[in-house]
Amino acid sequence: MDAGLAAVLGATVGAVGTGGAGIVAALLARAQGRSQLSAEYARFIRDQRKAAYAAYTEATLKERERLNTASTHLQMAAHAEGDDRAQEIEAARREYRAVQEEWGVVERRYAEVAVAGPPAITLAAVQVSGALNAYENGVLECLQTLAGGQSCPPGDLARLGEMHRASYDAYLAFLSRASEVLGADGIRRLPE
């Protein structure tokens, strides 16, 4: 091989090698950029979800505690007489009104959870809201019965305890699901 041909081949190999290295470097940088973007997006989504889930759990826990307090007053009213009965009924009525006044807050927090998703967490939130709604209706029924001067049947009072437990179970299931969703890294696939 003569020197001229060797020089041309050497220059060609050098140019292809340099260009190839540049292409490889660009492809690696692109992949790294995509990975970084995906990680930042996953963090952003996780932060949004965490805020929505925390606000919803706070609102539902507050509602549940008020319903429990109302239920306790109703239990006490069922076994009281005269002024004591009237005071317990009024205390239960105040707690129930507070639940009614805060209803919009719980609904807004639920909407935030539904938008933040994923669908499985929205379903868990529906179950919490349904359990709290049933509990609320049970408190109202007993409150109306007692306020009307009648006795609340013992079965209805026991049912309030069951509703309390059911709302707590739904609340715990929501927390568990929220923990699963927030614990996922989100880069490969967000949990459904």
Side-chain angles (χ1 to χ4, degrees):
M1 171 181 328
D2 70 357
L5 183 58
V8 170
L9 283 174
T12 303
V13 168
V16 170
T18 303
I23 290 172
V24 169
L27 290 175
L28 288 174
R30 180 178 171 205
Q32 184 179 7
R34 281 187 176 178
S35 177
Q36 180 66 27
L37 182 61
S38 181
E40 287 177 20
Y41 177 72
R43 184 180 51 79
F44 173 76
I45 293 295
R46 188 172 29 255
D47 290 348
Q48 296 297 313
R49 286 178 171 175
K50 183 178 179 181
Y53 301 169
Y56 180 71
T57 56
E58 182 181 333
T60 58
L61 187 58
K62 186 176 181 181
E63 180 176 339
R64 196 175 155 280
E65 288 171 354
R66 286 206 162 135
L67 288 169
N68 186 46
T69 302
S71 178
T72 300
H73 285 296
L74 291 172
Q75 298 266 352
M76 294 171 74
H79 302 293
E81 295 180 9
D83 288 342
D84 290 340
R85 179 183 170 102
Q87 288 174 355
E88 293 297 338
I89 290 172
E90 184 54 36
R93 185 177 286 125
R94 275 193 309 272
E95 292 297 326
Y96 183 79
R97 280 190 204 130
V99 167
Q100 292 297 298
E101 290 169 4
E102 293 292 319
W103 181 81
V105 172
V106 174
E107 286 300 305
R108 281 190 300 280
R109 300 301 182 223
Y110 166 78
E112 291 170 3
V113 169
V115 168
I121 198 77
T122 303
L123 178 60
V126 165
Q127 291 169 340
V128 171
S129 293
L132 286 173
N133 190 37
Y135 193 13
E136 184 179 334
N137 289 337
V139 166
L140 178 61
E141 288 173 17
C142 251
L143 181 60
Q144 289 174 334
T145 301
L146 288 170
Q150 300 173 354
S151 294
C152 195
D156 288 355
L157 292 172
R159 199 169 51 119
L160 289 178
E162 293 168 10
M163 291 176 187
H164 174 75
R165 283 185 294 282
S167 67
Y168 188 65
D169 290 345
Y171 173 77
L172 290 179
F174 176 83
L175 291 179
S176 176
R177 189 65 183 142
S179 178
E180 290 172 10
V181 169
L182 294 174
D185 67 6
I187 294 172
R188 287 171 275 292
R189 184 166 182 229
L190 293 172
E192 299 298 321

